[in-house]
Amino acid sequence: MKRRDFIKKASLTTAGAFVTPYILPSGRLFAPTGTRLANHVVFVLFGGGIRNQEAVKKMYLADQQGFSSTGNVMNNMLTGAAPSSNIVYNQWSPILGTSLQAQGALFPEMRYTQGPTGHYNGHTVAMTGNYTETGLNLNINPEHPTIFEYYRKHNSPSQTALKAWWLSEGLGPYPSLNYSRHPDYGATYGANYMRPNSIFGGKGFDYLNDATVYQPDDVSRIETMKNFFDVNFDKQASDIPGIINTRDDKEAIKNMIVSTLNNPTSLDLALPNGASPSELTGDLVNISSAWKVLESFKPELTVINTFNLDICHSNFSSYIELLHKADYGVGWLWNKIQSDPVLANDTVLVCMPEHGRNAQPNSLIDANGLAAFDHTSDSNSREVFSLIVGPSGVINQNQSYGTGVAPVGESIDIVPTIAHILGFYDDIPAGLLPGRVLTEAFV
Amino acid sequence: MQAFNRLNMKYIVSIFVVSFLLTACKKKVDHIVNYDNVIYEVNTQTIYSSNAQKNKQKSPELIISIMYADIFNQGIQTNKLLEIAEIYLATGDKTMFNELIFSHFLKDPSAIVPTDGQMRADIDQFVEDTYIKFYQREPSEYEKHYMINLIESDANMTVENVYTAIILSNEYFFY
């Protein structure tokens, strides 16, 4: 090709890139307005109640009476050397060469300013962007819309529930967080929900491993007959709880579940090389399954939690151990994301605990002589941190915002921040989100 | 001839008298039989004359119990129901879950389900039985006609296809 032809064609191609919409590897079409910062967000509700002392302050045992050992037990998420004395946990080598803190923006002193510091409240606040005063909410969907509903209602083009997922470590009230009871939102805009510890655990295997995934011909037959039956009945089964996927999405999800149950090795486990599966925790099962969902469906919005750390109510040593393992899981997940051609360099990871824990211990002492901590809404239990990690052109790298005397950010800011990343924040009606976008994090 | 008649009559009367004496004084004997492990079979009965009579929606737990009863002709055990309830809670799309668990029920060796061959052998009866089994009513002539045609015209239509469509239908959610 002659040099002049090459320049001409190259110029046309470049011009075309500016005037035509982008078709991204994920298949999403969007105009080059710059409104989206990334096409995928993974929000890890790094839950169970984590004190800043053992997390971002890297105090390890230094806040325990009679101990002075310090160090970083979260070697994947945070930068800093691991403890070297009084080791009460099995130290796993970090999976990341560079910590997530170095690959993003850390808000070490965020605040959970209102309402009781309960697990469900904390989850609700983080996922709805609104504080709630309600102490207990058993299996009732939250009052305010969740981030999933904002995404599915206001994102353009609208996406099916296959692109929005909520995976929880436990059951209890947590399945209710995939949509709210807000009259303008609700199940129609909800996310898919799964508790992998049940679905991929023993009970799931016993009852679902032989379930049928229908071929398109079967689907067509079933739909034809169902339509016939429904035409001959004058009522709608409208009160069915939960979201309803499209038929294609439903079969895709069924296929993912049944094929995983029938081929358990297809579920990559968030464990270091050589570690025994017996070292797997509920949190790591949840994280491993999150990767299965991400790998299978490339969702644009995924929220997962960890929860095992709540053992801190009774056993501080186990809390440290599980904190260390959950940190490994988050690093492992980030590594997986970066290995995927669609998700790599197009995903922002957000991590935040749902709340902290008390400054003063309770009366329980574990086998290592370490005191346990509850979370009863004291000022220490309102201290949380947040980590926002992503491509260097989108997220400020290795930056920290806020101090103990000048905190930056609140728990209610995560929902607006995710909406900002995915480009639909401005479309959310005024008055629904009292928090703000954590703009400091972005380039 | 008259003599013969008189003799005949006398003979008949004698037989009657002897028979009466032999049976009238029979000692009464009561037989008491104790049955162990009696199994009562319940015939599927129509409850509704029309689907218009159904106006209450079944709860999710009731749906699972009824699906089980419809397939196994017996109530679900409590521990099994609790285990299934956990997986039900662990899934966001409840209609998808119903499909998954229902297909598991159908594959159980103890499921009381006709084979595809049995369905084809008497489609008319299959359609009628299916409506009574799942809807507790007879199909209308139109429904019967439509379903029979549908099954006859599609050699790959299976019992599982028909049953799955039924449990996903709106009517199945009502009683």
Side-chain angles (χ1 to χ4, degrees), chain A residues 171 203 207, chain B residues 64 76-89:
Chain A
L171 285 173
K203 292 188 183 73
Y207 289 99
Chain B
I64 293 170
I76 189 169
Q77 300 94 322
T78 307
N79 64 327
K80 192 170 270 192
L81 184 59
L82 288 173
E83 288 179 347
I84 293 173
E86 179 184 321
I87 321 170
Y88 172 85
L89 281 174

Side-chain angles (χ1 to χ4, degrees), chain B residues 90-137:
Chain B
T91 320
D93 184 338
K94 308 306 182 190
T95 60
M96 182 186 76
F97 174 80
N98 284 352
E99 285 178 39
L100 287 166
I101 199 71
F102 186 71
S103 66
H104 167 76
F105 288 164
L106 289 178
K107 289 191 175 69
D108 192 304
S110 58
I112 301 168
V113 176
T115 63
D116 293 339
Q118 287 167 330
M119 174 181 76
R120 298 262 163 216
D122 192 346
I123 297 176
D124 189 292
Q125 189 63 49
F126 169 78
V127 170
E128 193 151 317
D129 290 347
T130 299
Y131 267 78
I132 293 172
K133 186 184 190 78
F134 291 101
Y135 286 160
Q136 284 83 48
R137 66 176 177 85

Side-chain angles (χ1 to χ4, degrees), chain A residues 1 7 35-36 50 52 70 76 113 119 126 179 189 239 255 263 271 274 277 285 295 322 377 388 430:
Chain A
M1 185 185 290
I7 292 170
T35 52
R36 264 198 169 192
I50 298 169
N52 267 1
T70 60
N76 291 285
T113 61
H119 297 294
Y179 62 90
Y189 303 104
D239 294 337
N255 186 45
N263 184 15
L271 283 174
V285 169
E295 182 186 31
L322 292 163
S377 305
I388 301 176

Side-chain angles (χ1 to χ4, degrees), chain A residues 139 165 171-172 175 178-179 191-199 203-214 217-219 221-226 228-247 249-251 253-255 257-258, chain B residues 51-57 60 79-84 86-97 99-108 131 135 137 142-144 146-147 150-151 154-158 160-166 168-174:
Chain A
N139 296 327
W165 281 83
L171 285 173
N178 61 337
Y179 62 90
N192 263 296
Y193 167 76
M194 180 166 69
R195 188 213 176 209
N197 281 295
S198 297
I199 298 295
K203 292 188 183 73
F205 183 82
D206 290 346
Y207 289 99
L208 304 180
N209 78 313
D210 60 353
T212 305
V213 179
Y214 297 114
D217 284 355
D218 291 315
V219 169
R221 288 186 190 99
I222 291 167
E223 289 293 313
T224 301
M225 280 185 283
K226 177 181 158 29
F228 171 73
F229 296 139
D230 287 348
V231 163
N232 288 296
F233 189 68
D234 63 352
K235 298 174 190 74
Q236 285 273 346
S238 55
D239 294 337
I240 300 170
I243 62 134
I244 298 178
N245 285 290
T246 64
R247 173 47 70 179
D249 289 358
K250 202 176 281 193
E251 294 306 320
I253 296 167
K254 283 162 69 176
N255 186 45
I257 291 172
V258 175
Chain B
N51 62 15
Q53 294 171 285
K54 300 177 184 179
N55 48 29
K56 289 180 185 164
Q57 193 166 326
N79 64 327
K80 192 170 270 192
L81 184 59
L82 288 173
E83 288 179 347
I84 293 173
E86 179 184 321
I87 321 170
Y88 172 85
L89 281 174
T91 320
D93 184 338
K94 308 306 182 190
T95 60
M96 182 186 76
F97 174 80
E99 285 178 39
L100 287 166
I101 199 71
F102 186 71
S103 66
H104 167 76
F105 288 164
L106 289 178
K107 289 191 175 69
D108 192 304
Y131 267 78
Y135 286 160
R137 66 176 177 85
Y142 171 64
E143 288 170 325
K144 206 167 171 177
Y146 178 89
M147 287 303 296
L150 201 64
I151 296 168
D154 184 351
N156 293 317
M157 177 79 79
T158 64
E160 182 170 355
N161 290 158
V162 179
Y163 280 13
T164 303
I166 288 250
L168 293 175
S169 69
N170 284 324
E171 184 175 346
Y172 193 67
F173 283 84
F174 284 81

